[in-house]
Amino acid sequence: MARAVGAAHFRGQDSIVCGVAGALLQGLAAPPDGAIVMIGGRGSNRRYSFHYPVSNAPAHYVVRRRRLPPDVPVAEIAGVRVLEASYLAIDYIRSSHPREALILLDSYLRQQTQPDRFSRTFLRRSDTSVKEKLFEVLQHPPFQHYQRRLENLITLSSPWADSVPESAARWALLALGFSEPECQYRLLYRGRETPPDCMTPAFIDLFLRDPQLCIEVDGALKYQDDPRALINEKYREDAIRRRYPNLSFVRLLANEAMDIHAVADIISPYIPVDMARRLRPSRALLPRHLSRIPRITPRAP
């Protein structure tokens, strides 16, 4: 990505970095590889290819020029001209996979609001004011044709999704037809080291109130740094199960959260049959090229 941004920097003084490279420079979540790096400005549509290693695997970046309106807002980061964050977010999601769009929007909201899950407040700005800013950007001419779809994505975005896999799992649940899951859902339980007159708070990554399903999304490195992390997590889950016997628990690995078919397969045993019959996948959140529409198929856990 650094080489691609370097190419943008030296292509000319009118170059403006947008797309995935702009998102990364703005500190937003974006696909780590196989991405198209947009370089705005005046010029042809010639493509430049770069290879950039991610996790020891080669990733193919396509760098291409595109035309931007003359009045686009621009920020300067490390000497590189980049689209302003709110404009970049809308420009990015306009042509993105719905999953990637929600990932980036959740990331933007987290950055702008800085949510505190303990007090359930925002340290910077409210999510309502941030979304209002995004709705204002939608009034620019390049986005008016996509306004209804983009408004829906902005409305569904949440600053409480704590990571890329959580945002991806949120998208999968919404696309499968569930009502919006609650992020960082607070429960109280008595841990092994909790004093007798106290309770310990636990925050569930995603909670489906109907059918009372707790979904934990485990990052790729969560259990690698601390060998006892898995044991402690098991103790925590068992304590919560004892206090809340009506709740069901499932765990998603990071790569499973990114795959809507894997999410549907893992949570299916915990969905009542009558509820599964009522679910209707949201075609507005599914990519057009999806060969098979995922569905919940209840079965014994």
Side-chain angles (χ1 to χ4, degrees):
M1 197 276 290
R3 292 175 62 187
V5 172
H9 187 56
F10 292 107
R11 287 289 162 194
Q13 294 183 353
D14 64 336
S15 293
I16 303 170
V17 180
C18 42
V20 63
L24 293 174
L25 282 171
Q26 288 282 8
L28 304 176
D33 57 7
I36 294 178
V37 178
M38 298 291 192
I39 302 174
R42 303 177 66 183
S44 65
N45 287 327
R46 291 183 59 194
R47 295 190 176 191
Y48 304 90
S49 296
F50 292 88
H51 289 277
Y52 176 70
V54 177
S55 303
N56 298 320
H60 186 66
Y61 280 87
V62 178
V63 181
R64 73 184 182 200
R65 295 178 69 90
R66 56 174 286 203
R67 293 184 182 275
L68 292 172
D71 57 344
V72 293
V74 177
E76 187 169 311
I77 301 175
V80 179
R81 300 176 73 212
V82 186
L83 275 183
E84 186 271 331
S86 60
Y87 193 99
L88 183 143
I90 299 300
D91 183 66
Y92 180 93
I93 69 173
R94 173 178 56 173
S95 57
S96 296
H97 185 297
R99 179 191 63 196
E100 311 302 340
L102 271 186
I103 288 174
L104 185 120
L105 286 172
D106 288 353
S107 171
Y108 176 76
L109 288 176
R110 283 197 305 272
Q111 182 191 79
Q112 297 296 314
T113 61
Q114 293 187 6
D116 178 14
R117 64 182 182 178
F118 290 94
S119 63
R120 205 67 183 180
T121 59
F122 302 107
L123 301 182
R124 287 187 63 186
R125 302 162 56 192
S126 71
D127 60 339
T128 303
S129 65
V130 176
K131 289 185 178 183
E132 286 176 355
K133 171 64 175 176
L134 294 175
F135 286 132
E136 290 177 9
V137 177
L138 285 182
Q139 305 309 313
H140 288 237
F143 310 126
Q144 291 178 355
H145 180 70
Y146 313 90
Q147 192 163 354
R148 182 178 296 180
R149 182 174 67 87
L150 298 182
E151 284 179 350
N152 183 45
L153 289 170
I154 294 172
T155 302
L156 292 175
S157 60
S158 169
W160 298 105
D162 204 33
S163 64
V164 168
E166 286 182 32
S167 294
R170 279 187 70 246
W171 164 76
L173 294 171
L174 292 168
L176 288 168
F178 290 99
S179 58
E180 186 170 353
E182 299 181 45
C183 300
Q184 304 303 315
Y185 183 71
R186 188 172 183 264
L187 296 174
L188 295 176
Y189 74 101
R190 194 179 304 282
R192 290 184 299 166
E193 300 178 1
T194 305
D197 56 341
C198 297
M199 301 294 283
T200 300
F203 295 93
I204 304 301
D205 292 335
L206 299 169
F207 178 65
L208 288 174
R209 191 167 292 277
D210 185 15
Q212 295 287 289
L213 180 62
C214 298
I215 303 173
E216 290 282 67
V217 183
D218 295 336
L221 302 177
K222 182 170 184 177
Y223 303 121
Q224 293 185 12
D225 297 334
D226 182 3
R228 291 192 57 81
L230 180 60
I231 298 175
N232 293 335
E233 192 74 11
K234 179 60 177 173
Y235 278 127
R236 169 180 171 272
E237 183 178 317
D238 288 345
I240 295 174
R241 285 178 183 271
R242 287 193 295 270
R243 180 169 174 80
Y244 302 94
N246 293 331
L247 298 183
S248 301
F249 284 80
V250 297
R251 289 191 174 274
L252 299 173
L253 298 178
N255 62 319
E256 294 170 336
M258 302 295 288
D259 182 354
I260 189 171
H261 296 288
V263 173
D265 187 58
I266 291 170
I267 69 174
S268 284
Y270 304 92
I271 308 302
V273 175
D274 59 337
M275 182 180 183
R277 289 173 178 167
R278 297 195 307 268
L279 290 176
R280 294 293 182 270
S282 172
R283 292 187 176 273
L285 290 176
L286 292 171
R288 295 178 181 177
H289 64 270
L290 200 64
S291 59
R292 180 169 61 91
I293 302 296
R295 295 187 182 278
I296 298 296
T297 307
R299 61 183 185 280

